[in-house]
Amino acid sequence: MGASDPEVAPWARGGAAGMAGAGAGAGARGGAAAGVEARARDPPPAHRAHPRHPRPAAQPSARRMDGGSGGLGSGDNAPTTEALFVALGAGVTALSHPLLYVKLLIQVGHEPMPPTLGTNVLGRKVLYLPSFFTYAKYIVQVDGKIGLFRGLSPRLMSNALSTVTRGSMKKVFPPDEIEQVSNKDDMKTSLKKVVKETSYEMMMQCVSRMLAHPLHVISMRCMVQFVGREAKYSGVLSSIGKIFKEEGLLGFFVGLIPHLLGDVVFLWGCNLLAHFINAYLVDDSVSDTPGGLGNDQNPGSQVGLSGFQIAVSMLTYPFLLVGDLMAVNNCGLQAGLPPYSPVFKSWIHCWKYLSVQGQLFRGSSLLFRRVSSGSCFALE
């Protein structure tokens, strides 16, 4: 959740825009996704590579939007562009907030409505939990339509801070010294450039994540108050005071480590996968034809690239889940205490507990939510 989101989607990202629209847990996912798509948009090489030699990979990370002449972020237009990214990101965040809200309540195990009996594709009877739409309708019944936007303010502030942080870091540490991957590079040289550029993106993502995480924690806690109908965390300033008084400085960074690990794994996974796919699996004759990975005019290329982005995102989902659960665990709210959740000693303890329960992907699906075998619900 985010968020993941180690972050879309929560799921138009790339550079500063990625952090603005990603929302909780999905910043790195946006930056990496934009980088992978940038690879597909690169023009085909002037000369075809020798068929016996692998095709060098294209640029792996987010396209520069602040360094080139005439770019969106060049010269005097940089502040205006950054403000535009913040505004666009705020709009995307607000529109996607109900989705993230319902997702978080499912992640903490809050199931206020009983499952319904249905059949699967094989015709067997299966219990299904309420989908996102049914869950959202329930929230509206309890809190009204405005209730779907509980915790939105700190989330907007978190995303804006991430956007500004990434923009400032690009000014202090400009990416101009990073060499772009060229079709003239051999495999060793191109891989080094991929690693260097991905490391640069990772540095920006980690710093922005750390600075914005306290606001992410506040947003998560504001949302899970729905479970116990509490009002402990109401405003950003008052929430900062409560967390500092009860938990100290470390209270603002609970759940940070799994979020960082998820962002890093997603970023490196997407960029390296795209590099090796372009280098070893995609032939120039394929990339220049309709549907090839290197063809800018074909939606087929985007679909192919998005496929393994989604796959990597699913593999890193447990980090997003554990990070969000740790953010609300043992903070005085019902959603972070038994029977909803044990009091975890660390994020590793939380991971092991979810693994044993078979719940490491809880909340990853919001439409077809089948009751797991370990659930308290059972067929009569």
Side-chain angles (χ1 to χ4, degrees), residues 251-274:
F252 295 104
F253 298 96
V254 287
L256 174 62
I257 294 179
H259 271 296
L260 286 176
L261 289 174
D263 289 346
V264 170
V265 171
F266 181 88
L267 187 64
W268 282 94
C270 278
N271 284 351
L272 289 178
L273 270 175

Side-chain angles (χ1 to χ4, degrees), residues 15 48 61 99 112-113 142 144 151 154 193 197 207 266 341:
R48 294 188 180 276
S61 61
L99 189 70
M113 294 168 287
V142 176
K193 292 181 179 180
E197 197 160 353
V207 172
F266 181 88
S341 170

Side-chain angles (χ1 to χ4, degrees), residues 108-186:
V108 299
H110 185 54
E111 299 291 351
M113 294 168 287
T116 56
L117 185 63
T119 56
N120 60 15
V121 293
L122 300 177
R124 297 177 180 176
K125 291 184 178 181
V126 177
L127 286 175
Y128 288 100
L129 291 167
S131 67
F132 161 75
F133 300 102
T134 306
Y135 210 126
K137 188 182 295 184
Y138 171 79
I139 295 175
V140 172
Q141 291 175 351
V142 176
D143 281 347
K145 293 181 180 179
I146 195 68
L148 288 172
F149 299 92
R150 183 194 292 260
L152 176 60
S153 296
R155 187 170 170 232
L156 288 173
M157 296 171 64
S158 173
N159 291 340
L161 179 59
S162 295
T163 302
V164 173
T165 300
R166 291 175 68 91
S168 300
M169 289 187 64
K170 283 190 174 183
K171 295 175 184 177
V172 177
F173 305 102
D176 297 335
E177 296 181 359
I178 299 179
E179 299 180 65
Q180 303 298 301
V181 177
S182 169
N183 289 311
K184 297 179 180 180
D185 295 333
D186 57 26

Side-chain angles (χ1 to χ4, degrees), residues 266 270 273 305-317 361:
F266 181 88
C270 278
L273 270 175
L305 290 170
S306 299
F308 69 80
Q309 291 172 30
I310 295 174
V312 176
S313 179
M314 286 300 299
L315 289 176
T316 57
Y317 179 82
F361 291 90

